[in-house]
Every structure is written in C-alpha cells, then in structure tokens.
Amino acid sequence: MKDNCPRNREFTVYVPATSANLGPGYDVIGVALDIYNEFHVTMGGTKKLDIEIEGEGADAIPRDENNLIYKSTLAGCKMAGVGVPNIRIHQKNAIPLNRGMGSSATAVLGGLMIAREIAGDRLEADDMISLAIDIEGHPDNLMAAYMGGVVINYKRDGIYRGVKFIPPEPLRAVLVVPDIQVSTKMARELLPDSYKIKDVVSNLGNISLLIHALHTGQYRLLREAMEDTIHQPYRAELIPGFNDVVESAKKSGAWGCAISGSGSTVIAFCSENGNEIAEAMKNAFKKHSVNSVSMITDISDKGACLEVG
Ligand code: HSE
C-alpha cells in the first residue's frame, strides 16, 4: 500500500437522482435529475468510521462497514493501492430508496468520488466509472449520474462509454413515487430470455424517436416514443395501476410517461402543468389503493460534483 494523500480534509460530494430507460431505452438511456444526495466528508478524525444519515433511508441504511458509500470508497482505494484514512460521512439523502431513482448509484459513485479524492491521480476517472458499474450493475443510472443531462451508454472492448446531450427546450420531470418498494433484481428476473421480433422492432422505432424528440425539442413525439414492449409489460404487475397512471398523465398534458428505471416510480415529462399532472397521477394510484408522493424537477445539466469545505 502506498501512503494515502487526501487532497482535502473536508469536502462534500453531490450526486443526482437518475431515471433510467425512459420507456424503450432499457439499460442504454438515463437522465440526471435536479435532486441530489449530499455526502459531507471529514477525514482524519479519531474514529475509523463515523456515519451520520438524515433524510431518505435513515432508518434502513447501515452505519457500519456495510454502508454502500464506505464499501465503494474501500473498493476504490484498493484499486488505487492506497489506504483509507479515518473518515466521517454525513449523508443527506433526498432520493427515495428502491424506487427506480438511482439511489444506490449515488452511494456507489459518491463512495468512489471520495476514493478519488483520497487517491488523487492513482484512480483514473475511467477506472472509477468501470468499477462503479461493476459494483452497482446499472450503467444507465451510473453514467447519467456522473455526466449529467441525457446519457446514451454503450460498451466497446469491455469499456463503458457515454454520450451526453442536453434537451434544447426546457423539460420538467414529474416523478410520482408510490409507497411500494421494488427490487431491481426481481424486476429483471421477470423479463423473458427472448422476444418476438415485432416487439424488438417496435422498441427500435420508439428509441430512435425518443432520441430525436429529446435532441430536437419535439417533445410531442414523446407520447409514442416512451412506449415500450420489452420490459414495462412484464414489470407493470409490480406497480398496481401503472397503465391508468400513464393514461392520467397523458390526459392531463404530459408529453410522455414511463416506469422510472425498474420502478416503482413513474416518470412523466412536461413543459408546464407539472402540479396538475402530478395530482392526476397520484389520484390514479389512489384508485388502486396506492399512496404516493410527487416530485417535480428539472434535468440536471452537470451531474455529480465535489465541493471543498
Ligand atoms: N435499466 C435498469 C433496469 C435500471 O431497468 O433494470 C435499474 O435502475
């Protein structure tokens, strides 16, 4: 082990929520949202590890060596060949857990950004991202959280790469978060091993339309572009009332609507009427005896960042 050389003793890492898939872009598209988890870090105290958590998941997230931020910091430092100093992490979580909004991606990426602050140049950005994807498993959430904006990810020669763009016209995201947790692992196990060619072709058309709509600002195309035939039909059973929630969003003026990641959150895009759309979606859930809360937010242009102090 080389000596560790933290560049700063006290800093805060900000990592945004993300919404993956946007309908047809299963595992290849994600968008960063303007809702951030904050991890305030102080190094060099008297305790090996001291974790304080407030906000989402404060009752559920471990405060010991099993904490995902800390585990990711350890993994990053191990990759870089540096030791981990005594560390205090104060998590301020705004992103609900197990709801398809990239909460675990924030912990993994946040932990690795802490490792990078400790290791300096010994942990290259590309290696950090590859390790983050290895730990977390979902490049669509990870790349969007890291880069910001809308990110298309692909893999070449074993390396994940992302192409980022910012939609040209203002676009708001309405997230309706039902009181139901969905395990991503389970939601992936529901998917078939093979598909009918007509379903694949339908998704190819929709994903092409989706990128075009977001790239050019022709958001009216999102109504059809966010339809999906390869994961949503199988996952809808995990989200009671899903189809009604989508219909109510569209009826009240949303451009388009889909499951956020593997759920249970449902995301709709709009330019105006966000509150009205959120109310309609929550009411549709209520008709299926599901309580929900809503968040209305912008797309985050900048993605994850670190501030000293
Ligand atoms: N693309 C992944 C999935 C995202 O839908 O399973 C998980 O958040």
Side-chain angles (χ1 to χ4, degrees):
M1 289 273 171
K2 296 174 189 162
D3 289 341
N4 60 58
C5 52
R7 288 184 283 193
N8 292 290
R9 204 181 152 270
E10 202 169 339
F11 56 90
T12 305
V13 175
Y14 300 85
V15 191
T18 44
S19 183
N21 305 328
L22 306 187
Y26 180 70
D27 279 358
V28 295
I29 297 184
V31 61
L33 303 167
D34 210 8
I35 302 167
Y36 279 74
N37 279 350
E38 296 181 24
F39 310 132
H40 185 73
V41 178
T42 315
M43 287 198 269
T46 51
K47 281 181 164 174
K48 181 180 165 207
L49 176 62
D50 181 9
I51 296 180
E52 183 184 343
I53 305 171
E54 61 182 283
E56 297 289 341
D59 299 339
I61 297 172
R63 288 167 167 75
D64 58 14
E65 272 94 352
N66 293 312
N67 180 281
L68 189 53
I69 300 177
Y70 187 64
K71 277 168 61 169
S72 305
T73 302
L74 290 182
C77 287
K78 187 173 175 200
M79 177 181 252
V82 300
V84 181
N86 288 355
I87 189 164
R88 178 169 201 282
I89 304 170
H90 181 176
Q91 292 184 228
K92 292 184 186 171
N93 290 342
I95 306 169
L97 264 55
N98 300 324
R99 298 299 204 288
M101 291 178 64
S103 156
S104 62
T106 71
V108 173
L109 185 57
L112 286 169
M113 288 172 72
I114 295 169
R116 199 145 186 256
E117 192 61 21
I118 296 169
D121 294 343
R122 295 175 216 171
L123 185 57
E124 298 285 345
D126 281 356
D127 293 334
M128 177 184 82
I129 288 300
S130 294
L131 180 57
I133 294 170
D134 280 353
I135 298 172
E136 211 272 340
H138 304 297
D140 39 4
N141 290 109
L142 243 314
M143 295 294 250
Y146 183 58
M147 299 175 81
V150 178
V151 178
I152 303 161
N153 77 79
Y154 63 100
K155 196 176 181 181
R156 283 293 173 282
D157 304 324
I159 297 171
Y160 282 99
R161 303 192 188 284
V163 175
K164 164 186 175 176
F165 66 92
I166 306 290
E169 303 296 333
L171 191 62
R172 305 273 285 160
V174 177
L175 295 130
V176 176
V177 188
D179 191 11
I180 300 166
Q181 300 211 8
V182 165
S183 132
T184 298
K185 185 171 177 288
M186 210 174 91
R188 294 180 82 84
E189 283 167 3
L190 285 177
L191 306 187
D193 294 330
S194 59
Y195 290 91
K196 291 195 175 117
I197 191 77
K198 74 172 176 51
D199 289 337
V200 176
V201 171
S202 163
N203 253 44
L204 290 172
N206 289 352
I207 200 167
S208 309
L209 204 57
L210 174 71
I211 299 300
H212 178 73
L214 292 174
H215 214 278
T216 60
Q218 295 183 66
Y219 300 144
R220 66 184 167 75
L221 297 175
L222 292 175
R223 188 175 193 87
E224 283 162 346
M226 288 177 78
E227 287 177 6
D228 161 78
T229 44
I230 69 168
H231 73 108
Q232 294 193 167
Y234 306 94
R235 289 171 160 179
E237 68 181 63
L238 300 174
I239 309 171
F242 170 67
N243 291 319
D244 288 345
V245 173
V246 171
E247 280 318 303
S248 67
K250 287 179 175 176
K251 264 191 203 148
S252 43
W255 294 121
C257 187
I259 299 177
S260 180
S262 57
S264 56
T265 296
V266 181
I267 182 168
F269 286 116
C270 64
S271 300
E272 48 196 28
N273 296 346
N275 287 324
E276 209 177 293
I277 294 165
E279 283 312 305
M281 292 168 74
K282 285 193 286 188
N283 284 335
F285 265 132
K286 207 175 276 171
K287 285 190 185 133
H288 291 266
S289 308
V290 175
N291 290 324
S292 58
V293 294
S294 58
M295 297 166 142
I296 302 174
T297 183
D298 292 322
I299 289 172
S300 160
D301 293 359
K302 68 175 194 287
C305 58
L306 185 148
E307 276 175 17
V308 176

